[in-house]
Amino acid sequence: MREDVENLDITDVTANWVNAAVLQHQIDERIKALADLSHTPLFFGRLDYLHAPGADKAEGAEGERFYIGRRHVHDAEGDPMVIDWRAPVSQPFYRASKKDPMDVGLRRRFGYTSGDLTAYEDEHLSDPSEAAATSKLLQQEIERPRVGPMRDIVATIQPEQDEIVRSGLAGSVCVQGGPGTGKTAVGLHRVAYLLYAHRERLARTGTLVIGPNKSFLHYIEQVLPALGELEVKQATVDDLVAHVEVRGTDDATAAVVKGDARMAEVLRRAVRSHVTLPTEGVVVVRGSRRWRVPAYELETIVGELLDRDIRYGAAREALPQRIAHAVLVQMERSGEAPDDRVQDAVARNTAVKAAVKAIWPPVDPAKLVLRLLTDADFLAVHADGILDEDEQKEILWSKPVRSVKSARWSPADAVLIDEATDLVQRTHSLGHVVLDEAQDLSPMQYRAVGRRCTTGSATVLGDLAQGTTPWATRSWDEALTHLGKGEAVIEELTAGFRVPTDVITYASRLLPHIAPGLTPVASVRENPGFFEVRPTTADEQVVDACEELLRNEGSIGLIAADARIPALTEALTAAGLTYLGPGEETTAQTRLTLVPASLAKGLEYDYVVLDEPQAVVDGEPDERTGLRRLYVALTRAVSGLTVTHAAPLPRQLA
């Protein structure tokens, strides 16, 4: 298939060099999409239907066989050899069961080792004499060691995951899922499915995956290209709101106030305060005639624009046209017959432009936010009845700032500027947005993401128990309201495929303290996994634990409180152990990653050494946030976990 595209001759099929360049780019992208991926088989399953799908199921009708894979593959004549996993005919591979065979006589799963076919396993779904059994190949695939970036799960998608993946483009979906339930993979595969089912529409409107940090995005970035989808952009929330350079930080209290949804109304008031009702009329001179629009008529026009509550910038662009229209009405009454060109000329008249500048001056969003944060009186006027005096003092800067460029903006300030920017000029909306690790976003950050999909849909992924910011989400209903997707369906994934039973059971001791009422994850893995709590007296013993785990196959993560990283760096270097930073791709030679607890979210390793749980808790501003950070760190292991500690363990783990 790739050679066919490479051999295309476009010499005589384009009208000009521009068309030729565009077509060549499309060909190059298609060649990229058809690249061979090492150790990635093209098919992983087979379905033998009792009857041809869509055909009459009368007795004697012949069945049909389909191979299911990551990509559609056809032969030289164009006949399909492998069916794309997203096609409707592939759906029974994920959903058929002994109770509901979906007209499937046989489902075959193929097992691979380093890309070589090494096993297969059959289920005769329509045979009543064969009992239902757990697929050993499925278990092996789920438990396969993880070295390198995150991989796709097309061979292991479960029925409850498939329902979310294949839900329609029109509606938004929120997925609450504990550690190891596959929520991130489900979100990425949903994007792949939507691009398959609605390619033309999403090609026009665009798709975006939003993650918590660059390390996380680097970890997941190969999943969609492996499925042939190269056009999906990835970003963090900070990337979306990068109107200014962020060089500062807020303390937790100030960040909570700045991230509160009430700030949206403060900003709206501040933007609209720039409008000044006219006290004088406008006189437009055209040739020998003078046309006067009186102040009361201008006031009516301005009032109508304010009542419509449209974007500040859009109203400012409309104002000169509305004034010009008032002049044209007078012209018509005097017997003239002006057209649109005359109206445009009047709108550009010097007197009209001067009036617009006085009534509806331009607003610079960054300067507006800077004034709110540095001018106590200006903030007090627009925050009256919204923020109390203490909250206003929290967000006011103590030192004066000369300009927007010299200001030490914080991440929360950048979000406020993005809100103000949208009040002035509408933000471009995409067709679909995936928001991962959403539980850590503030209400104002949800609004920033929601602006990017006002006319599209969203897939929101997260776990309330893993919220590790002071403003972490309390409920998905509240979060979805801030996102502007209050109608979204909330789904819950509770079957754990990644974290071993013993590990998730230990970590779940924290749930009553960090997320009361949340359903604990139930591991579906047959292998209980390796789990040990080991007292230590020196950092060298932590290194010893890493060396022991490195004797196993797969990746190793050493997770520790951020303050402990320098000491552990020194200990690893002294022991001659090479290691990577979070998000860097592991190799056969370097399988150990040193991970600060603040960056562990969303990552996974075959084996984890968790250093000093109490230090992880103490590294956060309050105990609940610290326990949530610890819950995240405890649940990064796929096969085994060793907890090392010199200090006593947190009482919640006793």
Side-chain angles (χ1 to χ4, degrees):
M1 288 169 65
R2 189 171 63 252
E3 285 172 359
D4 286 346
V5 181
E6 288 171 342
N7 293 331
L8 285 173
D9 184 2
I10 61 170
T11 308
D12 300 320
V13 298
T14 53
N16 53 54
W17 70 269
V18 176
N19 287 352
V22 171
L23 185 54
Q24 187 59 54
H25 174 72
Q26 291 173 341
I27 289 172
D28 293 342
E29 290 298 300
R30 175 67 173 156
I31 291 169
K32 274 190 211 171
L34 289 170
D36 282 324
L37 298 173
S38 60
H39 308 322
T40 303
L42 283 175
F43 64 93
F44 51 81
R46 191 181 103 188
L47 288 177
D48 289 3
Y49 278 88
L50 297 175
H51 310 89
D56 183 12
K57 295 184 180 179
E59 200 169 327
E62 287 190 17
E64 200 164 350
R65 174 177 296 170
F66 299 95
Y67 285 86
I68 313 300
R70 288 165 174 78
R71 307 289 308 280
H72 169 83
V73 182
H74 60 247
D75 61 17
E77 282 71 45
D79 294 325
M81 299 176 70
V82 178
I83 304 297
D84 194 302
W85 65 276
R86 297 167 287 187
V89 77
S90 303
Q91 188 171 333
F93 184 79
Y94 303 108
R95 297 201 192 177
S97 64
K98 293 292 289 185
K99 287 183 180 177
D100 181 15
M102 301 177 72
D103 200 44
V104 173
L106 177 135
R107 172 169 56 199
R108 174 170 289 179
R109 299 181 193 274
F110 294 98
Y112 290 87
T113 303
S114 299
D116 294 329
L117 178 62
T118 53
Y120 69 88
E121 182 181 75
D122 289 347
E123 296 171 86
H124 298 87
L125 299 176
S126 299
D127 184 353
S129 65
E130 184 178 293
T134 304
S135 167
K136 293 203 178 327
L137 282 181
L138 192 61
Q139 283 289 334
Q140 289 170 10
E141 178 64 22
I142 289 171
E143 297 176 12
R144 186 156 56 93
R146 284 152 165 75
V147 174
M150 183 180 181
R151 55 178 181 254
D152 65 72
I153 60 162
V154 289
T156 62
I157 293 173
Q158 299 300 293
E160 65 271 22
Q161 296 174 326
D162 191 61
E163 285 185 27
I164 298 169
V165 167
R166 294 178 193 265
S167 53
L169 177 61
S172 294
V173 179
C174 175
V175 182
Q176 158 64 38
T181 55
K183 56 186 178 295
T184 297
V186 165
L188 295 174
H189 287 69
R190 176 160 158 71
V191 172
Y193 172 77
L194 292 175
L195 285 167
Y196 175 87
H198 307 277
R199 189 166 301 280
E200 282 192 22
R201 179 175 168 185
L202 289 177
R204 291 194 308 272
T205 55
T207 50
L208 176 67
V209 174
I210 302 172
N213 52 56
K214 296 290 186 186
S215 298
F216 178 83
L217 292 177
H218 181 69
Y219 177 62
I220 68 169
E221 67 184 356
Q222 294 304 318
V223 175
L224 289 167
L227 301 173
E229 302 299 345
L230 306 174
E231 300 300 318
V232 180
K233 292 182 172 59
Q234 296 184 347
T236 63
V237 173
D238 291 343
D239 293 333
L240 299 183
V241 299
H243 304 285
V244 291
E245 184 183 356
V246 172
R247 295 181 295 144
T249 55
D250 289 310
D251 62 41
T253 309
V256 168
V257 177
K258 289 179 181 180
D260 195 298
R262 293 174 297 162
M263 287 300 299
E265 177 59 22
V266 175
L267 288 165
R268 194 185 76 86
R269 287 183 184 180
V271 168
R272 288 167 69 94
S273 72
H274 288 75
V275 178
T276 306
L277 292 177
T279 55
E280 297 180 356
V282 175
V283 177
V284 176
V285 179
R286 281 186 62 81
S288 60
R289 302 294 299 271
R290 294 162 62 86
W291 309 96
R292 186 173 187 277
V293 182
Y296 73 85
E297 192 170 350
L298 287 177
E299 190 173 332
T300 301
I301 292 171
V302 171
E304 287 174 354
L305 287 172
L306 287 171
D307 290 342
R308 286 176 62 191
D309 203 24
I310 58 176
R311 297 294 193 283
Y312 185 91
R316 188 173 187 276
E317 291 172 4
L319 181 57
Q321 290 291 335
R322 295 291 294 273
I323 295 172
H325 177 72
V327 172
L328 258 66
V329 169
Q330 294 183 33
M331 288 181 176
E332 288 168 350
R333 285 176 183 161
S334 68
E336 294 189 22
D339 56 18
D340 290 345
R341 287 173 297 178
V342 175
Q343 178 166 332
D344 289 340
V346 172
R348 293 193 300 270
N349 182 276
T350 305
V352 173
K353 288 162 80 171
V356 169
K357 187 174 182 180
I359 297 167
W360 213 293
V363 170
D364 182 307
K367 287 181 180 177
L368 174 80
V369 173
L370 185 64
R371 187 179 176 192
L372 274 173
L373 297 177
T374 55
D375 186 335
D377 294 336
F378 186 67
L379 176 62
V381 168
H382 301 300
D384 183 41
I386 300 175
L387 303 178
D388 62 34
E389 287 186 16
D390 289 340
E391 289 173 322
Q392 291 178 37
K393 286 178 183 175
E394 281 293 342
I395 64 174
L396 276 169
W397 292 357
S398 55
K399 297 179 181 177
V401 178
R402 291 183 184 176
S403 66
V404 168
K405 285 190 176 180
S406 64
R408 294 184 63 82
W409 298 106
S410 71
D413 297 333
V415 177
L416 295 179
I417 294 171
D418 189 69
E419 179 84 26
T421 302
D422 184 69
L423 288 166
V424 174
Q425 205 72 42
R426 184 183 293 278
T427 305
H428 173 68
S429 175
L430 299 164
H432 191 78
V433 168
V434 174
L435 174 60
D436 204 355
E437 300 294 351
Q439 73 279 344
D440 277 340
L441 268 59
S442 70
M444 290 299 285
Q445 287 177 315
Y446 276 117
R447 290 175 62 88
V449 174
R451 285 192 282 279
R452 271 75 186 178
C453 55
T454 49
T455 58
S457 55
T459 300
V460 180
L461 312 165
D463 179 13
L464 296 178
Q466 295 186 60
T468 50
T469 54
W471 51 84
T473 303
R474 288 179 295 232
S475 79
W476 289 123
D477 287 330
E478 181 184 325
L480 292 168
T481 300
H482 294 312
L483 192 70
K485 302 295 179 186
E487 79 294 344
V489 176
I490 301 174
E491 303 279 1
E492 188 170 7
L493 296 174
T494 57
F497 303 100
R498 174 170 57 77
V499 187
T501 304
D502 290 354
V503 174
I504 196 64
T505 301
Y506 184 71
S508 293
R509 294 182 187 181
L510 299 176
L511 282 181
H513 308 280
I514 60 177
L518 209 61
T519 306
V521 172
S523 178
V524 298
R525 296 178 55 166
E526 293 183 345
N527 181 359
F530 168 79
F531 173 66
E532 179 189 12
V533 178
R534 182 185 296 184
T536 59
T537 55
D539 292 341
E540 289 74 19
Q541 291 172 289
V542 179
V543 175
D544 291 343
C546 294
E547 289 179 324
E548 288 173 25
L549 292 178
L550 281 167
R551 294 170 195 152
N552 301 311
E553 185 184 2
S555 57
I556 315 296
L558 171 55
I559 302 177
D562 292 34
R564 290 272 298 146
I565 295 299
L568 292 174
T569 298
E570 192 176 317
L572 289 171
T573 304
L577 276 183
T578 57
Y579 60 91
L580 303 166
E584 294 180 2
E585 191 171 324
T586 52
T587 64
Q589 291 73 37
T590 308
R591 296 182 289 122
L592 175 64
T593 304
L594 178 59
V595 187
S598 61
L599 296 179
K601 190 168 295 179
L603 305 179
E604 57 183 32
Y605 303 93
D606 286 294
Y607 294 90
V608 167
V609 175
L610 174 59
D611 169 74
E612 293 296 353
Q614 188 61 53
V616 174
V617 177
D618 294 341
E620 300 299 328
D622 60 84
E623 185 181 58
R624 191 182 77 153
T625 304
L627 290 173
R628 286 183 165 187
R629 183 76 72 190
L630 177 58
Y631 181 73
V632 171
L634 284 168
T635 53
R636 299 303 95 201
V638 175
S639 298
L641 169 68
T642 298
V643 178
T644 59
H645 67 101
L649 292 171
R651 56 185 173 77
Q652 293 84 355
L653 286 177

